[in-house]
């Protein structure tokens, strides 16, 4: 009877070790899969960030070109029609002030 218990205890202990090893293997596999998923996510985020950075640079360049054209148009208008240019500037200032007051 004592021998049966010893055999059973050895058998149960052996089975527990195998189960623990299997669980550890499953945990390691899950951790590796999660690591790969994180790396893929980081790669996608970097690609998206690069695309946004490139597009924002292009937008800034275009905005600079538009502002340069706008400045040129105002200078030309001020030289050829100074009275109209001053009147338009005063009107723009009036509307800006009115919207500023409404926003407060």
């Amino acid at each position: 009877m004592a021998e049966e218990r010893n055999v059973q205890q050895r058998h149960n202990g052996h089975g527990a070790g195998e189960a623990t090893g299997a669980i550890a293997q499953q945990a390691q596999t899950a951790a590796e899969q999660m690591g790969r998923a994180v790396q893929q996510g980081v790669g996608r985020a970097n690609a998206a960030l690069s695309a946004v950075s490139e597009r924002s640079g292009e937008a800034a360049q275009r905005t600079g070109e538009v502002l340069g054209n706008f400045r040129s148009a105002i200078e030309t208008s001020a030289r050829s029609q100074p009275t109209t240019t001053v009147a338009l500037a005063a009107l723009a200032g009036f509307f800006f002030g009115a919207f500023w007051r409404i926003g407060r």
Side-chain angles (χ1 to χ4, degrees):
M1 188 122 166
E3 284 181 32
E4 272 184 40
R5 281 188 202 152
N6 286 340
V7 169
Q8 221 174 20
Q9 286 176 353
R10 276 189 254 149
H11 179 69
N12 287 341
H14 184 66
E18 287 179 5
T20 303
I23 290 172
Q25 181 64 34
Q26 289 174 349
Q28 183 178 359
T29 302
E32 289 171 356
Q33 289 174 348
M34 287 180 9
R36 283 191 295 271
V38 167
Q39 286 176 346
Q40 289 175 350
V42 168
R44 288 184 195 135
N46 284 338
L49 184 60
S50 294
V52 167
S53 176
E54 183 179 325
R55 289 183 183 140
S56 65
E58 291 172 0
Q61 184 179 2
R62 289 181 189 151
T63 302
E65 291 172 5
V66 168
L67 290 176
N69 292 341
F70 187 68
R71 179 179 175 197
S72 171
I74 289 175
E75 287 175 354
T76 302
S77 173
R79 286 190 184 113
S80 65
Q81 300 173 344
T83 307
T84 304
T85 303
V86 170
L88 286 175
L91 187 62
F94 173 78
F95 282 121
F96 180 74
F99 284 121
W100 183 278
R101 184 179 276 277
I102 289 172
R104 287 181 149 192

